Amino acid sequence: MPTTPEPPARGSLTLVRHPLVQHKLTLLRDKNTPTKIFKELVDEIAMLMAYEATSDLTLEPTVVETPLERTTGQRVAGKKLTLVPILRAGLGMVEGILKLVPSARVGHIGLYRDHKTLEPVDYYFKVPADAAEREFLLLDPMLATGGSAVAAIDALKRAGALRIRFLCLVAAPSGVQRVHQAHPDVPVISASLDRELNASGYILPGLGDAGDRLFGTR
Ligand code: PRP
Ligand code: URA
């Protein structure tokens, strides 16, 4: 019989407080951290957070032959995991998670935030066809106004997705609230809940523009 843990509560926010995650997040916030190290840190934090984000995957028993005898172990059952980075910055989280779950599929959602209105503008969408059969981990380091996350979740649901989790590194209270209001069934997992947004929609204290720092475009 598969073992299915309790589903997360509606409107849930999980903060990953593991010391290694918090240590690396502080290095990531540092304005003097260069692009190469920034990229490595995002990769490492995403991998550590994926451990938390997959902690309630369903297991099923499976028989295995050890060198000494036959025994029953456990393996991940059922729904196939699909990673969906929100371009661009979400791309930085993919490889770290794939190290833990190499068989996961990867979809892509292209969105950018209009600098004036702060509203998301979409330019790309591609996920596996059997969306209803899959477990989605939506990836973006930053959850600021929540506009991009809500638009990405809307698009995933239109494609048929039924099980989605949102994994980010830094969240603002207003972003978490917007996601919970629009999509209470989507748990949010973050390494930090920061104080607020500034007038330009940047998270404070935050880490700056994640895409620019990852790809060295500023
Ligand atoms: C950033 C970030 C999120 C979005 C968050 O992307 O990676 O996608 O902003 O802001 P929101 O919660 O207010 O929508 P950006 O629009 O800068 O695009 P980029 O990754 O291509 O630089
Ligand atoms: N997007 C970012 O990259 N950083 C922020 O602080 C807010 C949105």
Side-chain angles (χ1 to χ4, degrees), residues 127-188:
V127 298
D130 53 348
E133 309 303 319
R134 293 182 168 272
E135 191 91 49
F136 287 91
L137 271 187
L138 184 60
L139 311 175
D140 194 325
M142 310 307 281
L143 177 59
T145 66
S148 304
V150 167
I153 296 166
D154 286 343
L156 278 179
K157 287 188 174 176
R158 278 196 301 275
L162 301 171
R163 283 167 297 275
I164 305 168
R165 276 148 218 256
F166 184 78
L167 193 56
C168 60
L169 307 190
V170 180
S174 50
V176 175
Q177 198 179 8
R178 187 157 166 190
V179 171
H180 283 165
Q181 258 165 13
H183 297 291
D185 57 310
V186 175
V188 175

Side-chain angles (χ1 to χ4, degrees), residues 40-62:
E40 289 168 6
L41 287 166
V42 170
D43 180 85
E44 291 165 4
I45 297 173
M47 181 165 65
L48 291 166
M49 289 184 65
Y51 184 74
E52 173 72 33
T54 54
S55 64
D56 59 356
L57 286 181
T58 302
L59 290 173
E60 65 185 6
T62 182

Side-chain angles (χ1 to χ4, degrees), residues 60-117:
E60 65 185 6
T62 182
V63 173
V64 60
E65 296 273 353
T66 81
L68 301 172
E69 64 178 33
R70 173 179 288 222
T71 187
T72 302
Q74 302 280 337
R75 70 174 176 198
V76 175
K79 312 295 174 207
K80 298 168 192 135
L81 202 63
T82 304
L83 312 182
V84 182
I86 299 179
L87 308 180
R88 292 175 298 166
L91 283 174
M93 300 171 72
V94 172
E95 288 305 316
I97 302 177
L98 283 177
K99 283 178 201 148
L100 282 188
V101 200
S103 61
R105 299 292 161 87
V106 182
H108 293 89
I109 296 181
L111 286 175
Y112 69 86
R113 209 167 66 141
D114 182 278
H115 281 296
K116 284 210 180 75
T117 64

Side-chain angles (χ1 to χ4, degrees), residues 189-209:
I189 301 153
S190 181
S192 176
L193 182 63
D194 277 17
R195 194 175 70 246
E196 61 186 344
L197 299 181
N198 71 10
S200 308
Y202 279 88
I203 301 175
L204 298 174
L207 49 76
D209 188 307

